[in-house]
Amino acid sequence: MTDPEYMRLALAEAQAAAEAGEVPVGAIVVHQGRILARAGNRTISACDPTAHAEIVALRAAAQAAGNYRLPGAALYVTTEPCAMCAGAMIQARIARLIYGCDDPKGGAARSCVAVFDHPALNHRVQVSPGVLAEECAGILQAFFASKR
């Protein structure tokens, strides 16, 4: 599958999160062409501030792989990860992050801070931003417009 095809799966997770009343962010973890995990935000339903789509997907992927490290894996997420999620990707040794739209208020890949670029880190994550960016931003905009 291609990056846009995987991102469409992440968008489906974001849509499911929106339908559950969660902020619509979706994530997919892929390793060697196999989807290890998929998730949407669950912070509200789980009463857990760490239950971002990326964290939920990383936890499930680690369980599926039988290892807390996921070398060679790619994480697709509909919006730029926050610092917590970026840190979790580094800890999991994710090889590649592919995300949809930038998050100018909290993005930690490039918008607010560039966590992955810190020179002291011993692991590098390849970042590919902007995959289906308009669709990814659109689902967030529609969700928040419906809350006003």
Side-chain angles (χ1 to χ4, degrees), residues 2-67:
T2 65
D3 286 350
E5 289 171 322
Y6 282 122
M7 189 60 73
R8 289 202 190 288
L9 296 176
L11 276 163
E13 294 298 320
Q15 183 60 47
E19 291 167 7
E22 300 279 356
V23 174
V25 177
I28 306 284
V29 179
V30 178
H31 185 260
Q32 296 179 342
R34 177 176 159 238
I35 296 172
L36 293 179
R38 56 181 77 206
N41 269 358
R42 296 184 188 155
T43 56
I44 297 166
S45 62
C47 294
D48 180 355
T50 70
H52 289 193
E54 301 96 309
I55 300 293
V56 175
L58 285 170
R59 287 175 180 157
Q63 289 293 312
N67 192 340

Side-chain angles (χ1 to χ4, degrees), residues 8-132:
R8 289 202 190 288
L9 296 176
L11 276 163
E13 294 298 320
Q15 183 60 47
E19 291 167 7
E22 300 279 356
V23 174
V25 177
I28 306 284
V29 179
V30 178
H31 185 260
Q32 296 179 342
R34 177 176 159 238
I35 296 172
L36 293 179
R38 56 181 77 206
N41 269 358
R42 296 184 188 155
T43 56
I44 297 166
S45 62
C47 294
D48 180 355
T50 70
H52 289 193
E54 301 96 309
I55 300 293
V56 175
L58 285 170
R59 287 175 180 157
Q63 289 293 312
N67 192 340
Y68 73 106
R69 301 277 197 206
L70 300 166
L75 190 146
Y76 292 80
V77 63
T78 55
T79 193
E80 183 180 6
C82 70
M84 172 185 69
C85 293
M89 287 176 224
I90 292 165
Q91 293 301 313
R93 301 301 191 256
I94 290 292
R96 189 167 172 239
L97 162 67
I98 305 89
Y99 73 86
C101 60
D102 289 336
D103 179 0
K105 295 181 181 178
R110 69 178 187 173
S111 294
C112 288
V113 293
V115 169
F116 300 114
D117 295 338
H118 196 283
L121 293 175
N122 64 351
H123 177 72
R124 296 285 171 228
V125 175
Q126 178 189 349
V127 179
S128 299
V131 176
L132 301 182

